[in-house]
Amino acid sequence: METTDHLREQRCYDEWISLQRLELSELHQALILSSEGRMSDADLTRLVEKMMDHFQDYCDKRSYLAHRDAATYFAPNWCNSLENSGLWLGGCRPSTFIRLVYALSGLAFESKLAEFLNGSEVEVLGGISGVQLSKISQLQSKTNRQEEQLSSRMASLQEDMADQPFASVANKPDQNYCLNEDAVAALKENGQAMANLVEEADQMRLDTIKELIKVLTPVQAVQFLAAGKKLRLCIKDWGEKQDH
């Protein structure tokens, strides 16, 4: 891949991180105004929708760049070691968004969630209702199934690297490491399949957040987005300190 493509990927990521910092500040300000009665639920909803539009734009940019060089997104040099250690198909697992909601509501453990849904008295923080938790639990089950499907497809692509026509190159008795025509074509096909997985995973991340937001009240949605962005930025900062 050309150096200019690396620079575009780095710039895309840096701009996204800068936007997260700005949006986090905006979300915190919105919560303050809301608590003072100076920001309505409709205003909060518009703010959340604007940020979802930003996420969609980011996913679109990543899709374009990933189709130029998908492998980079599985070990991005624009992320630090801690960030890369948590990657799943070029980003975070969509199910982590749901786990964050559980943690924020005081139901970080699924056993407690089951008790609550069965009618037991369990302390719930953040005003999350039983009806909301039931819907979130259903979303978690669907999300886990989708993650398993994408993970299985990724595993197949990785296994393909030891299959034909790549194996024919490895089986040559000489020291020539050059790929033959069939292997080059297969490598390109493999790369496009990986790019498709990144694109689908990004869309799944976006869809999961949107579905969560539909379940949450406007204030809860703003609280959730603020917590998610802060956690993301903290992981980045912690990772940079670790690497240094």
Side-chain angles (χ1 to χ4, degrees), residues 44-196:
L44 295 176
T45 298
R46 282 191 290 271
L47 176 61
V48 169
E49 289 174 347
K50 181 184 72 172
M51 293 184 179
M52 290 299 95
D53 289 341
H54 291 167
F55 195 1
Q56 180 67 69
D57 290 341
Y58 180 57
C59 290
D60 291 342
K61 292 177 182 176
R62 277 169 53 92
S63 175
Y64 170 77
L65 292 170
H67 278 282
R68 297 177 65 90
D69 183 27
T72 309
Y73 282 82
F74 291 86
N77 55 16
W78 53 84
C79 290
N80 57 57
S81 301
L82 181 59
E83 290 175 293
N84 281 340
S85 69
L87 286 184
W88 175 82
L89 300 182
C92 66
R93 284 183 174 273
S95 56
T96 59
F97 303 139
I98 299 171
R99 293 297 294 269
L100 179 60
V101 172
Y102 288 158
L104 294 174
S105 66
L107 292 174
F109 299 100
E110 294 179 7
S111 59
K112 288 187 177 181
L113 173 63
E115 292 174 17
F116 184 86
L117 295 177
N118 287 330
S120 301
E121 291 295 325
V122 178
E123 183 180 4
V124 181
L125 302 177
I128 300 289
S129 70
V131 173
Q132 287 175 304
L133 283 170
S134 179
K135 292 179 179 179
I136 292 172
S137 178
Q138 292 173 19
L139 175 60
Q140 183 183 37
S141 296
K142 183 181 77 170
T143 301
N144 287 339
R145 289 194 300 270
Q146 292 174 332
E147 285 181 349
E148 289 174 3
Q149 291 171 0
L150 291 184
S151 293
S152 178
R153 286 169 55 190
M154 184 62 204
S156 295
L157 288 176
Q158 292 172 326
E159 291 167 0
D160 287 347
M161 297 298 291
D163 205 345
Q164 298 293 351
F166 302 109
S168 63
V169 177
N171 194 42
K172 290 182 178 180
D174 56 38
Q175 295 296 315
N176 184 2
Y177 298 115
C178 295
L179 297 177
N180 57 37
E181 186 175 328
D182 290 339
V184 170
L187 194 60
K188 289 182 179 179
E189 183 178 348
N190 186 276
Q192 286 304 303
M194 291 173 66
N196 290 336

Side-chain angles (χ1 to χ4, degrees), residues 27 44 48 212-214 216-226:
L27 289 166
L44 295 176
V48 169
L212 274 173
I213 287 171
K214 288 180 182 178
L216 302 175
T217 66
V219 171
Q220 289 170 344
V222 171
Q223 292 172 333
F224 162 67
L225 289 180

